[in-house]
């Protein structure tokens, strides 16, 4: 659907642009519908540059990026607008996508003007609300807020809601999990899984192997601008071919392993709140995947993952949980109606 063929990006640097920095070299891959492809690489490996080229935010130096058979480099005006109707991005820092003096509803107003001028206001409001609800936001909580009054996770979900109004086919998600808090992370991961099941193709850019493994069907490993390995996620993680991939995987001995289905039923039964501390979640118990949860609280000792009140906040649940998960034993403290959870040894 979206294909990169031998794509290279050389940035001109230095005072007069006299130096060149090759950020991406000869990258070829596809983003397919109904699939999450993770693009994994260390900082500076060229991931965001690839994302930006796909989104036409920076031109390719050579090679082609084509969408449904058309080279996107030449798109202008109406045809470029059509491209953005189908291909959208959500970035690491959602604050940078917003002008802080505007309220959140403005991002919806701008796409109405560009893409849906003939839709009536009342119909449009209905669509915006439905879209916000589909990403787990309550429209009245966010629409009249200024962007600094919203959390990073809320902003990212607003951007995803906005993209959904455009009936996108491809979403480029660049490090979107990194800056949001633990409980929201799980929401966003669940949301991506949901988008995928609705036929969207997602390019999930991350430096985090375990996250890439958890979320994607296919994996691309990028090293210094070069794709060194690519394939079914399971294959890449279980049987890496490239020395660099092997090295990356040995650096994270446990977390890259996929937890088998059914391995963590008790954890799954816990549920998470979307809003953090102490409040029972509106997320169904089955909506939290164990590895997502594990990941969510890794390194977040202070953050509270609340349990669904009526089911999980009991000691015997916790016991079961601890027994089931000897592999990565977490520290679980039960405090009345919520859990405080951390990985053992993590701060
Ligand atoms: N606008 C730019 N001008 C010059 N160099 C850039 C620019 N953007 C990124 N780079 C350089 O390109 C390389 C790849 O950067 P980037 O794509 O942001 O990597 P990643 O997202 O994997 O961390 C880095 O060396 C970075 O410094
Ligand atoms: Mg980046």
């Amino acid at each position: 659907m979206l294909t990169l063929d031998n794509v290279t990006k050389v940035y001109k640097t230095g005072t007069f642009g006299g130096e060149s920095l090759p950020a991406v070299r000869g990258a070829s891959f596809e983003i397919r519908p109904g699939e999450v492809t993770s693009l994994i690489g260390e900082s500076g490996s060229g991931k965001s540059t690839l994302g930006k080229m796909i989104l036409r935010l920076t031109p390719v130096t050579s090679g082609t990026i084509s969408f449904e058979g058309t080279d996107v480099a030449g798109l202008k005006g109406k045809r470029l607008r059509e491209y953005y109707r189908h291909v959208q991005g959500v970035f690491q820092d959602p604050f940078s996508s917003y002008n802080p003096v505007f309220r959140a509803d403005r991002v919806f107003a701008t796409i109405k003007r560009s893409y849906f001028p003939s839709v009536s206001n009342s119909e449009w409001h209905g669509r915006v609300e439905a879209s916000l609800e589909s990403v787990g936001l309550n429209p009245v909580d966010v629409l009249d807020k200024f962007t600094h009054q919203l959390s990073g996770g809320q902003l990212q979900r607003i951007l995803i809601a906005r993209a959904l109004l455009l009936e996108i086919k491809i979403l480029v998600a660049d490090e979107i999990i990194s800056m949001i808090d633990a409980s929201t992370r799980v929401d966003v991961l669940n949301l991506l899984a949901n988008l995928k099941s609705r036929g969207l193709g997602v390019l999930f850019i991350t430096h985090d192997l375990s996250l890439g493994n958890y979320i994607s069907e296919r994996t691309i490993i990028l090293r210094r601008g070069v794709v060194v390995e690519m394939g079914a996620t399971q294959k890449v993680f279980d049987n890496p071919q490239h020395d660099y991939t092997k090295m990356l995987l040995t650096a994270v001995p446990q977390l890259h392993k996929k937890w088998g289905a059914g391995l963590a039923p008790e954890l799954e039964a816990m549920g998470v709140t979307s809003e953090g501390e102490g409040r029972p979640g509106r997320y169904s118990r089955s909506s939290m995947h164990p590895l997502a949860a594990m990941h969510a609280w890794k390194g977040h000792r202070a953050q509270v993952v609340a349990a669904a009140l009526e089911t999980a906040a009991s000691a015997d649940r916790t016991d079961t949980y601890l027994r089931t998960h000897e592999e990565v034993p977490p520290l679980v403290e039960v405090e009345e109606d919520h859990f405080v959870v951390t990985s053992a040894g993590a701060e």
Side-chain angles (χ1 to χ4, degrees), residues 175-233:
E175 305 270 12
I176 62 167
I177 306 293
S178 342
M179 69 162 292
I180 57 183
D181 62 78
S183 54
T184 315
R185 245 182 237 194
V186 179
D187 296 351
V188 174
L189 287 175
N190 286 335
L191 177 61
L192 288 180
N194 180 270
L195 295 180
K196 173 173 85 177
S197 67
R198 287 157 57 178
L200 224 84
V202 180
L203 183 67
F204 187 80
I205 297 178
T206 183
H207 64 277
D208 188 319
L209 287 159
S210 58
L211 211 47
N213 184 24
Y214 167 60
I215 200 152
S216 67
E217 280 75 43
R218 286 194 311 131
T219 291
I220 300 166
I221 307 280
L222 195 67
R223 181 192 187 215
R224 296 189 194 148
V226 177
V227 173
V228 294
E229 183 150 359
M230 175 164 67
T233 297

Side-chain angles (χ1 to χ4, degrees), residues 11 13 21 23 42-49 52:
Y11 287 111
T13 56
L21 190 150
E42 293 173 297
S43 174
S45 56
K47 306 182 297 297
S48 295
T49 299
K52 285 179 191 157

